[in-house]
Amino acid sequence: HTPISLSIHNTLTQIDCTKIPFVLPFTYYRRYIMKDKNAWNNYSPEELKSLENLNKGYIDFISEGKTERECTELLVKMAEAHGYRDLNEVIKNNETLSIGSKVYAVNMNKCLITFNIGEDIVNCGMNILGAHIDSPRIDLKQNPLYETDEFAYLDTQYYGGIKKYQWVTMPLALHGVIAKKDGTVVNVNIGEDPSDPVFFISDLLIHLAQDQMQLTAAKLIDGENMDIVFGTQPLDSESESAVKANVLKLLKDKYGIEEDDFWSAEIEAVPAGRAREAGLDRSLILGYGHDDRSCAYTSAVALFEVENPKTTTCGLFVDKEEIGSYGATGMQSHFFEDIVRELLDRLGIYTELNAARVLRNSRMLSSDVSATYDPMYADKFSKRNAALFGRGIVFNKYTGSRGKGGSNDANAEYLGKLRAIMHKHNVMFQSAELGKVDVGGGGTIAYILALYGMEVVDSGIAVLNMHAPYEAVSKSDVYEAYKGYKAFIIEA
Ligand code: MN
Ligand code: MN
């Protein structure tokens, strides 16, 4: 008899339906059809165990990686533990790469690219997972320290889109680096150890807030009033600005830091303390920086677990997404394509045309978070097209605002292919848009990779209270995202 073709171009009458179970194995077919809409209802005890394991690792990751630098360091450690080598070393030693080689490249300690070389990179391109590892926060200014009315303050500028009123009166930790004149770089991390002090931004007491309470939320907290309380104890009774003098003395004694060292520092104030399980059923994780470290972590685990992929895999973990992907470490930088050129050079196949082909023939999941439908604000979502907790990895065909403005808007053919992959690997997935038409919007790095002519779609984990100091995700969505990313890099 003639073999069955399931090609869409054949009419249904040409397919012998009795043969379908040979094409789709019955067990897989049944599992898919009987699947409950809520992922939690589909897990076997073994699957629940891997779900908990993954989320345990993820809680550690976001509790320890609170800046793009810290995330880069953690991701490099993960990559090296899985046999990845620094591409710079490979270049320096004039070594060659081949199928099976695993390398990574770091740019300025703030972004990371990984490659696992598969077959025919020029014609097959790469399966790319790209996430960002910067999150909204409060940055110190370059001349931050001052004293007024016997308070020592750190002057700040916020980073990314925040509701400023959410960031006052909560414990903050300071993370970052100070680059000293002698070339040494001092790591700063104060406020995470339970014995450390924490910092905070004050807010006006409710008793005196009659006028303040009349302001709109955008104006409630003035950006210039978001200065961090740094100290109140004077050094002695003689010194001028004695409170400032005292914190300067502490900085000098503990970190060897002078006041002018702030000039060449990057210090970020972030919510202090670890991410936690949330809900009595522990189904959620409440923590800082799910956007977009939940996608970065799940992408990394998926990438590093796949040994000897047929198609080359590529992980992009970039900085500066929250402020428009600018800067040398943001996605708009040429770093990525330059590293692709270096890679081809090491493979012995570098030409400009090959570099362009590798990029054009690639596929990407721009792995970034999506907005979870919030029943408390139901009128801001179009429920049929909103992401729900527990319904799996989210695909956003388009993002943008005011009529898909600034959106990548992925191709139907690509979505069709991804849908088949997700089905095949029993991954729960859903499609969504950020919110109702005309209520706002947002963007990701998707459009930047699409510039190379490759297929790109946004996909990631649904987040509740996105950009708040503490955001929430569902553990089952973290798990399904990991499964989805793994399926993508194996099959796409
Ligand atoms: Mn994001
Ligand atoms: Mn964001």
Side-chain angles (χ1 to χ4, degrees), residues 32 35-43 51 283-284 370-375 382-396 422-423 426-432 459-463 473-484:
Y32 166 55
K35 199 176 231 182
D36 192 274
K37 278 191 291 189
N38 192 311
W40 286 107
N41 292 331
N42 295 312
Y43 297 134
L51 178 152
S283 59
L284 307 176
S370 194
T372 307
Y373 169 76
D374 187 341
S382 156
K383 202 175 175 186
R384 273 191 314 279
N385 286 290
L388 303 175
F389 268 166
R391 300 291 168 91
I393 182 171
V394 186
F395 287 85
N396 289 84
M422 297 301 132
H423 276 163
N426 217 27
V427 177
M428 287 287 289
F429 65 99
Q430 51 184 331
S431 73
S459 76
I461 293 165
V463 170
V473 293
S474 162
K475 284 181 185 172
S476 75
D477 295 335
V478 171
Y479 183 59
E480 295 300 321
Y482 149 76
K483 281 168 59 187

Short mmCIF file of all heavy atoms in Angstrom, two decimals, residues 32 35-43 51 283-284 370-375 382-396 422-423 426-432 459-463 473-484:
data_model
loop_
_atom_site.label_atom_id
_atom_site.label_comp_id
_atom_site.label_asym_id
_atom_site.label_seq_id
_atom_site.Cartn_x
_atom_site.Cartn_y
_atom_site.Cartn_z
N TYR A 32 -2.32 13.53 24.66
CA TYR A 32 -2.60 14.89 24.20
C TYR A 32 -4.09 15.20 24.30
O TYR A 32 -4.49 16.21 24.83
CB TYR A 32 -2.10 15.07 22.77
CG TYR A 32 -2.64 16.31 22.13
CD1 TYR A 32 -2.48 17.55 22.75
CD2 TYR A 32 -3.37 16.24 20.96
CE1 TYR A 32 -3.00 18.69 22.19
CE2 TYR A 32 -3.90 17.38 20.40
CZ TYR A 32 -3.72 18.60 21.03
OH TYR A 32 -4.25 19.71 20.47
N LYS A 35 -5.50 15.57 27.91
CA LYS A 35 -4.79 16.50 28.78
C LYS A 35 -5.74 17.52 29.41
O LYS A 35 -6.56 18.12 28.73
CB LYS A 35 -3.74 17.23 27.94
CG LYS A 35 -2.67 17.87 28.75
CD LYS A 35 -1.67 18.45 27.79
CE LYS A 35 -0.29 17.99 28.16
NZ LYS A 35 0.73 18.56 27.31
N ASP A 36 -5.61 17.71 30.69
CA ASP A 36 -6.38 18.75 31.36
C ASP A 36 -5.82 20.11 30.99
O ASP A 36 -4.63 20.24 30.70
CB ASP A 36 -6.29 18.56 32.88
CG ASP A 36 -7.30 19.41 33.61
OD1 ASP A 36 -7.00 20.60 33.88
OD2 ASP A 36 -8.39 18.90 33.88
N LYS A 37 -6.66 21.12 31.01
CA LYS A 37 -6.20 22.46 30.61
C LYS A 37 -5.20 23.03 31.61
O LYS A 37 -4.39 23.87 31.28
CB LYS A 37 -7.40 23.40 30.48
CG LYS A 37 -8.11 23.26 29.14
CD LYS A 37 -9.11 24.38 28.94
CE LYS A 37 -10.27 24.23 29.90
NZ LYS A 37 -11.38 25.14 29.63
N ASN A 38 -5.33 22.60 32.87
CA ASN A 38 -4.41 23.09 33.89
C ASN A 38 -3.27 22.09 34.07
O ASN A 38 -3.49 20.92 34.38
CB ASN A 38 -5.15 23.29 35.21
CG ASN A 38 -4.31 24.07 36.21
OD1 ASN A 38 -3.13 23.74 36.43
ND2 ASN A 38 -4.88 25.10 36.77
N ALA A 39 -2.05 22.57 33.85
CA ALA A 39 -0.88 21.68 33.86
C ALA A 39 -0.77 20.87 35.15
O ALA A 39 -0.33 19.72 35.12
CB ALA A 39 0.39 22.50 33.63
N TRP A 40 -1.14 21.48 36.26
CA TRP A 40 -0.99 20.79 37.55
C TRP A 40 -1.73 19.45 37.56
O TRP A 40 -1.34 18.53 38.29
CB TRP A 40 -1.52 21.66 38.70
CG TRP A 40 -0.63 22.80 39.05
CD1 TRP A 40 -0.87 24.12 38.79
CD2 TRP A 40 0.63 22.75 39.74
NE1 TRP A 40 0.17 24.89 39.26
CE2 TRP A 40 1.10 24.08 39.86
CE3 TRP A 40 1.41 21.71 40.28
CZ2 TRP A 40 2.30 24.41 40.48
CZ3 TRP A 40 2.61 22.05 40.90
CH2 TRP A 40 3.05 23.37 40.99
N ASN A 41 -2.81 19.33 36.79
CA ASN A 41 -3.61 18.09 36.79
C ASN A 41 -3.02 16.99 35.93
O ASN A 41 -3.60 15.92 35.85
CB ASN A 41 -5.04 18.39 36.34
CG ASN A 41 -5.77 19.25 37.36
OD1 ASN A 41 -5.48 19.17 38.54
ND2 ASN A 41 -6.70 20.06 36.89
N ASN A 42 -1.91 17.29 35.26
CA ASN A 42 -1.36 16.30 34.32
C ASN A 42 -0.11 15.60 34.83
O ASN A 42 0.41 14.72 34.16
CB ASN A 42 -1.02 16.99 32.99
CG ASN A 42 -2.26 17.51 32.30
OD1 ASN A 42 -3.24 16.80 32.16
ND2 ASN A 42 -2.22 18.76 31.90
N TYR A 43 0.42 16.02 35.97
CA TYR A 43 1.74 15.52 36.36
C TYR A 43 1.68 14.19 37.10
O TYR A 43 0.85 13.99 37.99
CB TYR A 43 2.45 16.55 37.26
CG TYR A 43 2.73 17.87 36.55
CD1 TYR A 43 2.46 19.08 37.18
CD2 TYR A 43 3.27 17.89 35.27
CE1 TYR A 43 2.71 20.28 36.55
CE2 TYR A 43 3.52 19.09 34.63
CZ TYR A 43 3.24 20.28 35.27
OH TYR A 43 3.48 21.46 34.64
N LEU A 51 9.68 18.81 38.60
CA LEU A 51 9.18 20.19 38.67
C LEU A 51 9.72 20.89 39.92
O LEU A 51 10.22 22.02 39.85
CB LEU A 51 7.65 20.16 38.68
CG LEU A 51 6.87 21.46 38.80
CD1 LEU A 51 5.50 21.31 38.12
CD2 LEU A 51 6.64 21.93 40.22
N SER A 283 2.39 26.75 45.25
CA SER A 283 2.36 26.60 43.79
C SER A 283 3.07 27.75 43.07
O SER A 283 3.38 27.64 41.89
CB SER A 283 0.91 26.54 43.30
OG SER A 283 0.21 27.73 43.69
N LEU A 284 3.31 28.86 43.78
CA LEU A 284 3.91 30.04 43.15
C LEU A 284 5.28 30.34 43.75
O LEU A 284 5.64 29.82 44.81
CB LEU A 284 3.00 31.26 43.36
CG LEU A 284 1.54 31.13 42.93
CD1 LEU A 284 0.77 32.40 43.30
CD2 LEU A 284 1.42 30.86 41.44
N SER A 370 5.57 37.07 30.09
CA SER A 370 4.29 37.62 29.62
C SER A 370 3.46 38.00 30.85
O SER A 370 3.78 37.59 31.96
CB SER A 370 3.58 36.56 28.78
OG SER A 370 2.52 37.14 28.07
N ALA A 371 2.41 38.76 30.62
CA ALA A 371 1.58 39.20 31.75
C ALA A 371 0.54 38.14 32.09
O ALA A 371 -0.19 37.68 31.21
CB ALA A 371 0.88 40.50 31.40
N THR A 372 0.49 37.74 33.36
CA THR A 372 -0.56 36.82 33.80
C THR A 372 -1.87 37.55 33.94
O THR A 372 -1.91 38.68 34.47
CB THR A 372 -0.21 36.23 35.19
OG1 THR A 372 1.10 35.68 35.13
CG2 THR A 372 -1.20 35.16 35.61
N TYR A 373 -2.95 36.92 33.51
CA TYR A 373 -4.29 37.46 33.74
C TYR A 373 -4.50 37.62 35.24
O TYR A 373 -4.26 36.69 36.02
CB TYR A 373 -5.33 36.50 33.15
CG TYR A 373 -6.74 36.82 33.54
CD1 TYR A 373 -7.40 37.89 32.96
CD2 TYR A 373 -7.40 36.08 34.53
CE1 TYR A 373 -8.70 38.22 33.33
CE2 TYR A 373 -8.69 36.39 34.90
CZ TYR A 373 -9.33 37.46 34.30
OH TYR A 373 -10.61 37.77 34.68
N ASP A 374 -4.91 38.81 35.66
CA ASP A 374 -5.09 39.10 37.08
C ASP A 374 -6.57 39.37 37.34
O ASP A 374 -7.11 40.40 36.93
CB ASP A 374 -4.26 40.33 37.46
CG ASP A 374 -4.26 40.61 38.95
OD1 ASP A 374 -5.17 40.10 39.65
OD2 ASP A 374 -3.36 41.34 39.42
N PRO A 375 -7.26 38.45 38.03
CA PRO A 375 -8.71 38.61 38.26
C PRO A 375 -9.05 39.92 38.98
O PRO A 375 -10.15 40.45 38.83
CB PRO A 375 -9.07 37.41 39.13
CG PRO A 375 -8.00 36.41 38.89
CD PRO A 375 -6.75 37.19 38.61
N SER A 382 -7.90 40.97 27.87
CA SER A 382 -8.86 40.31 27.01
C SER A 382 -8.70 38.83 27.33
O SER A 382 -7.74 38.20 26.89
CB SER A 382 -8.53 40.63 25.55
OG SER A 382 -9.05 39.64 24.72
N LYS A 383 -9.60 38.28 28.14
CA LYS A 383 -9.35 36.98 28.77
C LYS A 383 -9.06 35.85 27.79
O LYS A 383 -8.24 34.99 28.06
CB LYS A 383 -10.51 36.61 29.70
CG LYS A 383 -10.09 35.59 30.75
CD LYS A 383 -11.17 35.30 31.75
CE LYS A 383 -10.73 34.18 32.70
NZ LYS A 383 -11.80 33.77 33.59
N ARG A 384 -9.72 35.86 26.67
CA ARG A 384 -9.49 34.79 25.67
C ARG A 384 -8.06 34.85 25.16
O ARG A 384 -7.54 33.86 24.65
CB ARG A 384 -10.45 34.95 24.50
CG ARG A 384 -11.79 34.29 24.67
CD ARG A 384 -12.55 34.26 23.34
NE ARG A 384 -12.51 35.56 22.66
CZ ARG A 384 -13.30 36.59 22.96
NH1 ARG A 384 -14.19 36.48 23.93
NH2 ARG A 384 -13.21 37.72 22.30
N ASN A 385 -7.43 35.99 25.25
CA ASN A 385 -6.07 36.15 24.73
C ASN A 385 -5.09 36.58 25.82
O ASN A 385 -4.15 37.32 25.56
CB ASN A 385 -6.06 37.13 23.56
CG ASN A 385 -6.64 36.50 22.32
OD1 ASN A 385 -6.03 35.63 21.72
ND2 ASN A 385 -7.84 36.92 21.95
N ALA A 386 -5.38 36.14 27.05
CA ALA A 386 -4.48 36.46 28.16
C ALA A 386 -3.80 35.18 28.63
O ALA A 386 -4.35 34.09 28.49
CB ALA A 386 -5.27 37.08 29.30
N ALA A 387 -2.61 35.32 29.20
CA ALA A 387 -1.90 34.17 29.75
C ALA A 387 -2.45 33.85 31.13
O ALA A 387 -2.69 34.75 31.93
CB ALA A 387 -0.41 34.48 29.84
N LEU A 388 -2.66 32.57 31.39
CA LEU A 388 -3.18 32.15 32.70
C LEU A 388 -2.11 31.33 33.42
O LEU A 388 -1.38 30.56 32.79
CB LEU A 388 -4.44 31.30 32.52
CG LEU A 388 -5.59 31.93 31.74
CD1 LEU A 388 -6.71 30.93 31.53
CD2 LEU A 388 -6.11 33.17 32.47
N PHE A 389 -2.05 31.48 34.74
CA PHE A 389 -1.17 30.64 35.55
C PHE A 389 -1.55 29.17 35.35
O PHE A 389 -2.74 28.84 35.28
CB PHE A 389 -1.35 30.98 37.04
CG PHE A 389 -0.40 32.04 37.54
CD1 PHE A 389 -0.65 32.66 38.78
CD2 PHE A 389 0.74 32.40 36.85
CE1 PHE A 389 0.21 33.62 39.29
CE2 PHE A 389 1.62 33.35 37.36
CZ PHE A 389 1.35 33.96 38.58
N GLY A 390 -0.54 28.33 35.26
CA GLY A 390 -0.79 26.89 35.20
C GLY A 390 -1.17 26.39 33.82
O GLY A 390 -1.52 25.23 33.66
N ARG A 391 -1.10 27.24 32.82
CA ARG A 391 -1.46 26.81 31.46
C ARG A 391 -0.24 26.69 30.56
O ARG A 391 -0.36 26.58 29.36
CB ARG A 391 -2.48 27.78 30.85
CG ARG A 391 -3.78 27.90 31.63
CD ARG A 391 -4.61 26.62 31.56
NE ARG A 391 -5.70 26.62 32.52
CZ ARG A 391 -6.94 27.07 32.26
NH1 ARG A 391 -7.22 27.54 31.08
NH2 ARG A 391 -7.87 27.03 33.20
N GLY A 392 0.94 26.79 31.16
CA GLY A 392 2.14 26.47 30.39
C GLY A 392 2.85 27.65 29.77
O GLY A 392 2.51 28.82 30.02
N ILE A 393 3.84 27.33 28.95
CA ILE A 393 4.67 28.35 28.30
C ILE A 393 3.79 29.22 27.39
O ILE A 393 2.90 28.72 26.71
CB ILE A 393 5.84 27.69 27.52
CG1 ILE A 393 6.75 28.74 26.88
CG2 ILE A 393 5.34 26.71 26.47
CD1 ILE A 393 8.03 28.16 26.29
N VAL A 394 4.06 30.51 27.40
CA VAL A 394 3.23 31.47 26.66
C VAL A 394 3.92 31.86 25.36
O VAL A 394 5.10 32.19 25.36
CB VAL A 394 3.04 32.77 27.48
CG1 VAL A 394 2.06 33.71 26.77
CG2 VAL A 394 2.57 32.47 28.89
N PHE A 395 3.18 31.82 24.27
CA PHE A 395 3.69 32.36 23.00
C PHE A 395 2.97 33.66 22.70
O PHE A 395 1.74 33.71 22.69
CB PHE A 395 3.47 31.36 21.85
CG PHE A 395 4.40 30.19 21.93
CD1 PHE A 395 4.07 29.09 22.72
CD2 PHE A 395 5.60 30.20 21.27
CE1 PHE A 395 4.94 28.01 22.82
CE2 PHE A 395 6.48 29.13 21.37
CZ PHE A 395 6.14 28.03 22.14
N ASN A 396 3.74 34.73 22.54
CA ASN A 396 3.18 36.02 22.15
C ASN A 396 3.50 36.24 20.69
O ASN A 396 4.63 36.59 20.35
CB ASN A 396 3.83 37.17 22.95
CG ASN A 396 3.40 37.17 24.40
OD1 ASN A 396 3.97 36.46 25.21
ND2 ASN A 396 2.39 37.95 24.72
N MET A 422 5.65 21.46 20.31
CA MET A 422 5.15 21.46 21.68
C MET A 422 4.23 20.25 21.90
O MET A 422 4.30 19.57 22.91
CB MET A 422 4.40 22.76 22.00
CG MET A 422 5.28 24.01 21.95
SD MET A 422 6.69 23.99 23.09
CE MET A 422 8.03 24.49 22.01
N HIS A 423 3.37 19.98 20.91
CA HIS A 423 2.49 18.80 21.01
C HIS A 423 3.32 17.53 21.12
O HIS A 423 3.10 16.71 21.99
CB HIS A 423 1.61 18.70 19.76
CG HIS A 423 0.38 19.54 19.85
ND1 HIS A 423 -0.36 19.87 18.74
CD2 HIS A 423 -0.24 20.11 20.89
CE1 HIS A 423 -1.39 20.62 19.11
NE2 HIS A 423 -1.33 20.79 20.41
N ASN A 426 4.73 16.99 24.45
CA ASN A 426 3.78 17.04 25.57
C ASN A 426 3.99 18.27 26.45
O ASN A 426 3.96 18.21 27.67
CB ASN A 426 3.93 15.77 26.40
CG ASN A 426 2.60 15.29 26.91
OD1 ASN A 426 1.56 15.56 26.28
ND2 ASN A 426 2.61 14.63 28.04
N VAL A 427 4.26 19.40 25.81
CA VAL A 427 4.48 20.65 26.54
C VAL A 427 3.16 21.43 26.57
O VAL A 427 2.51 21.58 25.54
CB VAL A 427 5.56 21.51 25.84
CG1 VAL A 427 5.73 22.85 26.57
CG2 VAL A 427 6.87 20.76 25.76
N MET A 428 2.77 21.90 27.74
CA MET A 428 1.58 22.75 27.85
C MET A 428 1.95 24.14 27.34
O MET A 428 2.96 24.69 27.77
CB MET A 428 1.15 22.88 29.31
CG MET A 428 0.51 21.66 29.89
SD MET A 428 -1.15 21.36 29.26
CE MET A 428 -2.06 22.66 30.06
N PHE A 429 1.14 24.67 26.44
CA PHE A 429 1.45 26.01 25.94
C PHE A 429 0.17 26.79 25.71
O PHE A 429 -0.91 26.22 25.58
CB PHE A 429 2.30 25.93 24.66
CG PHE A 429 1.58 25.30 23.49
CD1 PHE A 429 1.02 26.10 22.52
CD2 PHE A 429 1.49 23.93 23.37
CE1 PHE A 429 0.35 25.53 21.43
CE2 PHE A 429 0.83 23.35 22.31
CZ PHE A 429 0.27 24.15 21.33
N GLN A 430 0.30 28.08 25.68
CA GLN A 430 -0.85 28.96 25.49
C GLN A 430 -0.37 30.16 24.67
O GLN A 430 0.82 30.45 24.61
CB GLN A 430 -1.41 29.42 26.84
CG GLN A 430 -0.36 29.99 27.78
CD GLN A 430 -0.91 30.37 29.16
OE1 GLN A 430 -2.06 30.71 29.30
NE2 GLN A 430 -0.04 30.32 30.16
N SER A 431 -1.32 30.85 24.05
CA SER A 431 -0.93 32.07 23.36
C SER A 431 -1.53 33.24 24.12
O SER A 431 -2.53 33.09 24.81
CB SER A 431 -1.42 32.07 21.92
OG SER A 431 -2.81 32.26 21.90
N ALA A 432 -0.90 34.39 24.02
CA ALA A 432 -1.39 35.54 24.77
C ALA A 432 -0.89 36.83 24.17
O ALA A 432 0.03 36.84 23.34
CB ALA A 432 -0.92 35.46 26.22
N SER A 459 8.31 34.07 23.54
CA SER A 459 7.69 33.00 24.33
C SER A 459 8.31 33.00 25.70
O SER A 459 9.51 33.25 25.85
CB SER A 459 7.89 31.66 23.65
OG SER A 459 9.20 31.23 23.85
N GLY A 460 7.51 32.74 26.70
CA GLY A 460 8.07 32.75 28.05
C GLY A 460 7.06 32.40 29.12
O GLY A 460 6.07 31.72 28.86
N ILE A 461 7.34 32.91 30.30
CA ILE A 461 6.61 32.53 31.50
C ILE A 461 5.68 33.68 31.90
O ILE A 461 6.06 34.84 31.82
CB ILE A 461 7.62 32.18 32.62
CG1 ILE A 461 8.39 30.91 32.23
CG2 ILE A 461 6.93 32.03 33.98
CD1 ILE A 461 9.63 30.65 33.03
N ALA A 462 4.47 33.33 32.32
CA ALA A 462 3.50 34.34 32.74
C ALA A 462 3.86 34.86 34.14
O ALA A 462 4.15 34.07 35.04
CB ALA A 462 2.10 33.74 32.76
N VAL A 463 3.89 36.18 34.28
CA VAL A 463 4.28 36.81 35.54
C VAL A 463 3.16 37.71 36.06
O VAL A 463 2.58 38.49 35.31
CB VAL A 463 5.57 37.67 35.35
CG1 VAL A 463 5.85 38.53 36.57
CG2 VAL A 463 6.76 36.78 35.06
N VAL A 473 5.44 33.99 39.86
CA VAL A 473 5.27 33.04 38.75
C VAL A 473 4.74 31.73 39.31
O VAL A 473 4.87 31.45 40.51
CB VAL A 473 6.61 32.74 38.01
CG1 VAL A 473 7.12 33.96 37.28
CG2 VAL A 473 7.67 32.19 38.96
N SER A 474 4.14 30.93 38.43
CA SER A 474 3.69 29.59 38.81
C SER A 474 4.82 28.60 38.55
O SER A 474 5.44 28.62 37.48
CB SER A 474 2.46 29.20 38.00
OG SER A 474 2.27 27.79 38.05
N LYS A 475 5.06 27.73 39.53
CA LYS A 475 6.11 26.71 39.34
C LYS A 475 5.82 25.83 38.13
O LYS A 475 6.74 25.38 37.46
CB LYS A 475 6.16 25.81 40.58
CG LYS A 475 6.82 26.40 41.79
CD LYS A 475 6.76 25.32 42.85
CE LYS A 475 7.27 25.78 44.17
NZ LYS A 475 7.00 24.73 45.20
N SER A 476 4.55 25.59 37.86
CA SER A 476 4.24 24.70 36.73
C SER A 476 4.59 25.40 35.42
O SER A 476 5.02 24.75 34.47
CB SER A 476 2.77 24.26 36.74
OG SER A 476 1.93 25.30 36.34
N ASP A 477 4.43 26.71 35.37
CA ASP A 477 4.79 27.44 34.14
C ASP A 477 6.31 27.48 33.95
O ASP A 477 6.80 27.42 32.82
CB ASP A 477 4.23 28.87 34.17
CG ASP A 477 2.71 28.89 34.14
OD1 ASP A 477 2.12 27.91 33.65
OD2 ASP A 477 2.11 29.87 34.62
N VAL A 478 7.04 27.59 35.06
CA VAL A 478 8.50 27.52 34.98
C VAL A 478 8.91 26.17 34.39
O VAL A 478 9.74 26.08 33.48
CB VAL A 478 9.14 27.72 36.39
CG1 VAL A 478 10.65 27.44 36.37
CG2 VAL A 478 8.87 29.14 36.90
N TYR A 479 8.26 25.13 34.86
CA TYR A 479 8.56 23.76 34.40
C TYR A 479 8.21 23.57 32.93
O TYR A 479 8.98 23.01 32.16
CB TYR A 479 7.81 22.76 35.28
CG TYR A 479 8.09 21.32 34.98
CD1 TYR A 479 9.39 20.81 35.05
CD2 TYR A 479 7.05 20.45 34.64
CE1 TYR A 479 9.64 19.48 34.78
CE2 TYR A 479 7.30 19.12 34.37
CZ TYR A 479 8.60 18.63 34.44
OH TYR A 479 8.84 17.31 34.17
N GLU A 480 7.02 24.05 32.55
CA GLU A 480 6.59 23.88 31.15
C GLU A 480 7.47 24.72 30.21
O GLU A 480 7.72 24.33 29.07
CB GLU A 480 5.12 24.26 30.98
CG GLU A 480 4.15 23.34 31.72
CD GLU A 480 4.22 21.88 31.29
OE1 GLU A 480 4.38 21.62 30.08
OE2 GLU A 480 4.15 21.00 32.18
N ALA A 481 7.95 25.86 30.68
CA ALA A 481 8.84 26.68 29.85
C ALA A 481 10.15 25.92 29.60
O ALA A 481 10.63 25.85 28.47
CB ALA A 481 9.12 28.02 30.53
N TYR A 482 10.67 25.35 30.66
CA TYR A 482 11.90 24.54 30.52
C TYR A 482 11.68 23.41 29.51
O TYR A 482 12.49 23.19 28.61
CB TYR A 482 12.30 24.00 31.90
CG TYR A 482 12.99 22.67 31.89
CD1 TYR A 482 14.32 22.57 31.51
CD2 TYR A 482 12.29 21.52 32.25
CE1 TYR A 482 14.95 21.32 31.48
CE2 TYR A 482 12.90 20.28 32.23
CZ TYR A 482 14.23 20.19 31.84
OH TYR A 482 14.84 18.96 31.81
N LYS A 483 10.53 22.71 29.65
CA LYS A 483 10.22 21.62 28.71
C LYS A 483 10.09 22.15 27.28
O LYS A 483 10.56 21.53 26.32
CB LYS A 483 8.91 20.92 29.11
CG LYS A 483 9.05 19.94 30.25
CD LYS A 483 7.69 19.51 30.82
CE LYS A 483 6.79 18.85 29.78
NZ LYS A 483 5.42 18.60 30.35
N GLY A 484 9.43 23.29 27.17
CA GLY A 484 9.22 23.89 25.84
C GLY A 484 10.54 24.31 25.20
O GLY A 484 10.77 24.09 24.00
#
